[in-house]
């Protein structure tokens, strides 16, 4: 029986590629070329452990690609590449494409629009400490090496549920950034309205790209508003597109699991209405994490991030903002902070329209005047931000009931 050394081979491959990119970014093309040659050998080796022929082929092609790229780095007097090229920035055709940057799908531009290199860090997310810990625990357990003697897979897919605007997208983005992963951010409503007929093809191409990226790193695929695909199944309107997209997502997820690739492609789905999800979806997302409305401590942390870390000063106690914002989501707090700041800035810079009338130079030479935020700024802001407390109370009960029955 062949000993499975795929883990160590992949670790060595990651190191070689990391080294290649570092050298390349520093303009050391010769060293980068050597590292790509090493990576090519390791990728060839890694191909031997692929579970399907298609994956084996893909990895072999990559190996050849690394060699071509190494040759190009050595022979051509090319300009040094300062950062690792992304799928969204394909290099000019005449050049050898930088490794890891081609998509196998036919919709590269659309895929590129869904890719974000997240820069969100955990400390930019206020509160939610137990939730952050649970998320890190979940993917940490899934990604860690397992002793040979035990069978334990862990959860590689997570479902975030909770009221809108509570940080689900932020948490997915921080997960991605924490892993140095490529972040594929799909909002189902956008997908359907923008690429209606093509949505299903786009999903397949997206998972292909996620797999591709994961050959030398990690991918996090975030699917927001997943319930809007399921709800559509129940009604009688023409919802073939939604149905097709959902079944494509589910079969892509199964495909990843069958091939063991979901170890490197983490999928996070998010919903405000988990009770609309049916068994087909729930059974694929067994790790479910509730993202609640922020409690007082979390609201304080979020208000600090939004108001103090952005350099503003307060003449009104932060604690009063925290008390008055019960039942606010993080997004509501963000709107509140923006309102208060806008009120202050507009008041302090009343002549701006006149300056704009005097031309571009005039306005560009003008420096905004500011002052600390006062009770009055917050009074007006609170007046403008209406939160439907009753609705949130009802929702909280439903989330609790969902958590208990699932
Ligand atoms: P969701 O995906 O749950 O609808 P988001 O993650 O998109 O919510 O959050 C919306 C906005 O609200 C964020 O861009 C951020 O400005 C703010 N926000 C929400 N929760 C938090 C939080 N815990 N800490 C900091 N900002 C937050």
């Amino acid at each position: 029986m062949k000993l499975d050394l795929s883990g160590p081979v992949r670790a060595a491959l990651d190191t070689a590629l990391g080294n290649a990119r570092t050298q390349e970014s520093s303009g050391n093309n010769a060293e980068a070329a050597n590292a790509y040659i090493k990576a090519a050998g390791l990728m060839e080796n890694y191909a031997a452990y692929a579970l399907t022929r298609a994956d084996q082929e893909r990895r072999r092609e990559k190996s050849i690609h690394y060699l071509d790229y190494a040759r190009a780095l050595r022979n051509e007097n090319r300009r040094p590449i300062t950062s690792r090229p992304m799928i969204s920035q394909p290099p000019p055709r005449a050049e050898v494409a930088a490794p890891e940057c081609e998509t196998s799908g036919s919709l590269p531009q659309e895929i590129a629009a869904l890719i974000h290199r997240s820069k969100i860090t955990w400390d930019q997310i206020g509160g939610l400490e137990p939730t952050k810990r649970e998320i890190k625990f979940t993917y940490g357990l899934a990604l860690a090496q397992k002793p040979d003697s035990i069978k334990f897979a862990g959860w590689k897919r997570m479902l975030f549920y909770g009221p809108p605007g509570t940080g689900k997208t932020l948490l997915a983005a921080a997960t991605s950034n924490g892993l140095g992963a490529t972040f594929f951010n799909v909002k189902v409503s956008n997908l359907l309205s923008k690429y209606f007929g093509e949505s299903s093809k786009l999903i397949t191409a997206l998972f292909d790209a996620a797999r591709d990226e994961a050959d030398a790193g990690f991918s996090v695929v975030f699917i927001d508003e997943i319930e809007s695909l399921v709800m559509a199944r129940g009604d009688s309107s023409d919802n073939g597109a939604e149905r097709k997209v959902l079944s494509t997502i589910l079969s892509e997820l199964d495909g990843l699991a069958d091939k063991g690739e979901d170890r490197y492609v983490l999928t996070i789905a998010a919903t405000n209405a988990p009770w609309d999800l049916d068994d087909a979806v729930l059974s694929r997302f067994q790790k479910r994490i509730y993202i609640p409305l922020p409690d007082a401590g979390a609201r304080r942390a979020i208000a600090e991030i939004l108001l103090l870390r952005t350099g503003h000063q307060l003449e009104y106690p932060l604690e009063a903002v925290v008390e008055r914002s019960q039942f606010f989501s993080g997004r509501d707090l963000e709107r509140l902070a923006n309102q208060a700041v806008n009120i202050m800035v507009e008041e302090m810079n009343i002549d701006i329209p006149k300056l704009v009338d005097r031309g571009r130079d005039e306005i560009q030479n003008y420096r905004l005047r500011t002052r600390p935020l006062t009770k009055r700024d917050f009074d007006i802001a609170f007046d403008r931000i209406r939160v439907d407390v009753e609705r949130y109370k009802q929702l909280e009960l439903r989330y609790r009931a969902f958590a208990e029955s699932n």
Side-chain angles (χ1 to χ4, degrees):
M1 204 174 95
K2 192 169 175 227
L3 199 61
D4 183 2
L5 293 174
S6 60
V9 171
R10 205 196 128 106
L13 172 62
D14 288 351
T15 309
L17 282 171
N19 185 21
R21 290 192 189 112
T22 312
Q23 297 292 357
E24 194 179 351
S25 322
S26 317
N28 303 330
N29 285 3
E31 284 84 353
N34 288 341
Y36 276 122
I37 289 168
K38 187 167 178 198
L42 289 162
M43 183 57 99
E44 177 69 32
N45 215 332
Y46 190 48
Y49 295 102
L51 298 176
T52 66
R53 185 168 287 275
D55 285 339
Q56 195 169 57
E57 284 301 306
R58 207 161 43 82
R59 288 180 190 171
R60 290 216 164 112
E61 273 169 27
K62 285 197 167 200
S63 168
I64 293 169
H65 202 108
Y66 294 159
L67 284 178
D68 285 347
Y69 194 68
R71 222 167 282 134
L73 277 175
R74 274 193 181 156
N75 298 339
E76 284 178 27
N77 198 9
R78 46 181 298 140
R79 66 190 152 75
I81 293 165
T82 49
S83 66
R84 183 186 166 210
M86 288 169 44
I87 295 173
S88 49
Q89 297 161 359
R93 278 217 166 279
E95 286 184 28
V96 175
E100 305 301 322
C101 71
E102 81 273 57
T103 52
S104 50
S106 56
L107 302 157
Q109 294 300 327
E110 285 80 356
I111 297 292
L114 300 172
I115 296 177
H116 301 265
R117 296 270 164 172
S118 159
K119 292 211 169 79
I120 299 287
T121 52
W122 293 105
D123 69 349
Q124 287 173 289
I125 305 175
L128 295 171
E129 294 310 325
T131 313
K132 290 180 199 168
R133 189 169 182 279
E134 191 179 0
I135 295 169
K136 290 179 197 173
F137 217 74
T138 303
Y139 73 68
L141 284 177
L143 298 178
Q145 301 267 343
K146 316 290 180 300
D148 293 337
S149 53
I150 65 158
K151 237 183 145 56
F152 171 77
W155 313 117
K156 291 134 192 166
R157 301 174 197 157
M158 293 182 257
L159 176 73
F160 293 170
Y161 68 96
T166 46
K168 295 184 281 303
T169 308
L170 285 182
L171 289 162
T175 302
S176 181
N177 189 24
L179 288 168
T182 307
F183 188 45
F184 294 78
N185 186 351
V186 186
K187 189 167 249 187
V188 169
S189 56
N190 287 354
L191 182 77
L192 290 171
S193 63
K194 256 174 142 171
Y195 309 109
F196 191 73
E198 299 277 274
S199 307
S200 202
K201 262 194 244 161
L202 191 67
I203 289 288
T204 304
L206 181 134
F207 275 94
D208 272 351
R211 262 189 219 107
D212 236 27
E213 285 289 309
D215 268 347
F218 288 105
S219 297
V220 171
V221 178
F222 180 61
I223 306 170
D224 200 4
E225 302 175 344
I226 192 156
E227 80 285 356
S228 51
L229 294 174
V230 187
M231 276 190 318
R233 297 213 285 196
D235 69 39
S236 56
S237 58
D238 178 16
N239 49 44
E242 286 90 340
R243 256 204 311 268
K244 207 160 154 218
V245 170
L246 182 62
S247 58
T248 308
I249 290 175
L250 298 182
S251 62
E252 287 294 340
L253 290 177
D254 293 344
L256 284 174
D258 288 348
K259 296 179 204 162
E261 284 172 329
D262 59 352
R263 179 152 180 217
Y264 302 106
V265 181
L266 291 185
T267 313
I268 302 176
T271 179
N272 305 328
W275 40 83
D276 283 328
L277 301 179
D278 59 14
D279 279 349
V281 178
L282 288 174
S283 63
R284 272 128 172 142
F285 290 91
Q286 285 169 348
K287 180 70 192 174
R288 298 163 201 161
I289 300 181
Y290 178 44
I291 320 289
L293 280 181
D295 60 13
R299 295 202 300 281
R300 189 175 307 112
I302 297 172
E304 271 178 23
I305 291 170
L306 294 171
L307 292 164
L308 302 184
R309 273 204 226 159
T310 46
H312 295 288
Q313 290 181 343
L314 301 190
E315 262 175 19
Y316 185 58
L318 196 71
E319 213 42 50
V321 176
V322 172
E323 251 170 57
R324 289 175 73 176
S325 58
Q326 214 198 342
F327 287 102
F328 274 42
S329 67
R331 183 179 287 130
D332 297 328
L333 281 168
E334 186 191 26
R335 285 164 55 218
L336 179 89
N338 287 344
Q339 282 286 349
V341 170
N342 273 332
I343 291 161
M344 176 273 284
V345 173
E346 280 180 22
E347 201 177 288
M348 292 298 291
N349 300 279
I350 206 83
D351 289 334
I352 291 258
K354 270 192 221 152
L355 295 175
V356 170
D357 278 346
R358 284 192 216 142
R360 204 174 77 180
D361 285 351
E362 194 86 14
I363 188 68
Q364 282 190 324
N365 288 327
Y366 177 78
R367 185 184 282 269
L368 283 184
R369 282 194 284 262
T370 60
R371 59 158 170 75
L373 296 165
T374 62
K375 175 171 184 304
R376 196 176 142 270
D377 299 326
F378 283 105
D379 283 346
I380 302 173
F382 270 106
D383 251 11
R384 289 185 186 167
I385 309 292
R386 293 267 160 237
V387 169
D388 190 341
V389 173
E390 278 316 307
R391 183 170 159 259
Y392 276 143
K393 280 187 181 164
Q394 291 293 328
L395 275 177
E396 253 182 3
L397 290 177
R398 287 192 82 178
Y399 290 126
R400 211 165 296 155
F402 173 81
E404 277 164 17
S405 64
N406 280 279

